[in-house]
Amino acid sequence: MLGMILFVGLIVAFLSPEVISRILGGSSGWVGVLIAAIIGSVSLIPAFVAFPMAKILLDHGAGYMQLAAFVSTLTMVGILTLGLEIKFFGKKFTIWRNVLAFLFALVIAAVVQKVVGNAYL
Amino acid sequence: MRIFKQYRLALIAVALIALTLLFSRDTGLSAVKTVGLSAKEMLLILPPVFIMLGLLDVWVPREAMVRFMGEGSGLLGGLLSWIIGVAAAGPLYVVFPIAAAFMKKGVKFTNILILIGAWSTMKVPMVMFEFSSLGARFALTRLIVNIPVILIMAFILNRVLSSEDKEAINQRAELNG
């Protein structure tokens, strides 16, 4: 657990908002959504850090669909905590739950895009 | 040597952060800050959670848990699981020991799945950050879509796991919960 927290801190520090926003821009489409979903899956960031960070990304041009994918997998998929989940729920459960959560994060992203679109609030 | 092996990942990360600090102070400091916040979250949340789990074990009789959230608890059981999930604070990994403790007390498997789902992505303290950061429209849309998503996920998981799988999970809960 300690190692994970340290690593995530390092990675977050290295990726500047500009770089992330370019990768996850409103025009990055489904590729951006997939990348965002993967980043969210392998991250372990507390909400009070993640959401202000997402706001900064939004201000730098990241798209709503991409951010919705990121927020969804960040909260529902836990690659770094797989070991812990397996310990309590076993391999089959853990793999199914995480795979399903990843796929549904893409669905959620699509719906958010439909509703929120690129209209600024 | 064994201690080194156990903390291999952490040691490598510390070395990398130290190197980063050396070459780029700002990037390094930002890394240290994020680590500090994550560690603080974990240290602040885990002890109370384990105390609560201990109290649950001692104070809440199994019969009560079974009645309100067990087999046959119906809609009320699902609703209760959802309320406990959204009222929670703390990251996803905290819910696993809690869910295991609930299972040990006889809570229905579907309700465990609803608890994990609601906890992971609809908990109120988190959603408040979401509202203020990304706006009401974004947050509300995501929340509303998540209600059916959590239920569908619970339904699918309940389907793909055989009764033997669930029995095995129950036994894990007995061991770890």
Side-chain angles (χ1 to χ4, degrees):
Chain A
M1 199 67 114
L2 191 63
M4 298 166 200
I5 289 177
L6 288 162
F7 261 111
V8 171
L10 194 64
I11 294 164
V12 170
F14 261 103
L15 293 169
S16 69
E18 289 80 9
V19 175
I20 302 180
S21 298
R22 210 176 319 133
I23 303 171
L24 308 181
S27 53
S28 63
W30 281 101
V31 178
V33 170
L34 265 181
I35 297 173
I38 292 168
I39 296 176
S41 303
V42 298
S43 301
L44 190 68
I45 320 170
F48 57 86
V49 178
F51 282 107
M53 198 171 93
K55 165 86 177 130
I56 295 170
L57 296 180
L58 188 68
D59 292 340
H60 278 84
Y64 281 108
M65 180 157 75
Q66 290 76 10
L67 284 178
F70 169 73
V71 170
S72 297
T73 54
L74 178 70
T75 53
M76 298 197 298
V77 182
I79 299 292
L80 291 180
T81 50
L82 281 181
L84 193 76
E85 191 171 348
I86 289 173
K87 185 183 156 214
F88 284 105
F89 286 96
K91 256 198 192 124
K92 190 169 172 188
F93 174 95
T94 303
I95 292 169
W96 269 99
R97 198 195 64 78
N98 281 280
V99 169
L100 284 173
F102 188 90
L103 294 177
F104 275 110
L106 304 180
V107 176
I108 293 166
V111 177
V112 167
Q113 173 69 15
K114 262 262 188 273
V115 177
V116 185
N118 288 316
Y120 274 78
L121 302 164
Chain B
M1 203 53 210
R2 255 183 66 197
I3 290 176
F4 179 77
K5 238 184 174 164
Q6 199 180 353
Y7 290 101
R8 198 172 28 187
L9 195 67
L11 288 172
I12 295 170
V14 168
L16 283 175
I17 290 176
L19 264 176
T20 312
L21 269 171
L22 228 62
F23 285 103
S24 160
R25 233 182 111 75
D26 284 346
T27 311
L29 283 178
S30 150
V32 171
K33 204 178 136 203
T34 310
V35 169
L37 287 171
S38 303
K40 203 166 126 195
E41 184 188 41
M42 192 171 85
L43 292 176
L44 280 177
I45 285 171
L46 284 183
V49 163
F50 284 111
I51 292 170
M52 300 266 279
L53 281 181
L55 293 178
L56 174 85
D57 209 23
V58 186
W59 280 351
V60 183
R62 191 185 153 86
E63 296 73 48
M65 289 290 270
V66 171
R67 185 146 60 93
F68 289 112
M69 297 171 78
E71 300 292 339
S73 62
L75 211 60
L76 177 73
L79 203 65
L80 263 175
S81 312
W82 184 80
I83 290 172
I84 296 175
V86 296
L92 178 67
Y93 56 82
V94 176
V95 80
F96 301 135
I98 294 176
F102 273 36
M103 263 185 105
K104 216 170 93 181
K105 284 269 178 185
V107 173
K108 198 166 97 179
F109 192 64
T110 326
N111 288 343
I112 297 285
L113 294 172
I114 293 173
L115 171 77
I116 294 176
W119 180 300
S120 66
T121 197
M122 293 184 77
K123 48 186 179 282
V124 172
M126 184 194 96
V127 168
M128 271 150 62
F129 279 107
E130 183 173 9
F131 263 88
S132 59
S133 300
L134 297 173
R137 205 153 149 188
F138 181 99
L140 275 179
T141 308
R142 204 184 63 79
L143 284 178
I144 292 169
V145 186
N146 258 306
I147 296 173
V149 163
I150 289 168
L151 294 177
I152 296 169
M153 270 181 70
F155 178 80
I156 298 177
L157 279 170
N158 204 19
R159 265 294 174 80
V160 294
L161 294 167
S162 64
S163 34
E164 292 94 70
D165 292 331
K166 285 175 205 162
E167 192 41 48
I169 293 172
N170 255 321
Q171 271 162 16
R172 273 175 191 274
E174 288 295 333
L175 273 175
N176 298 311

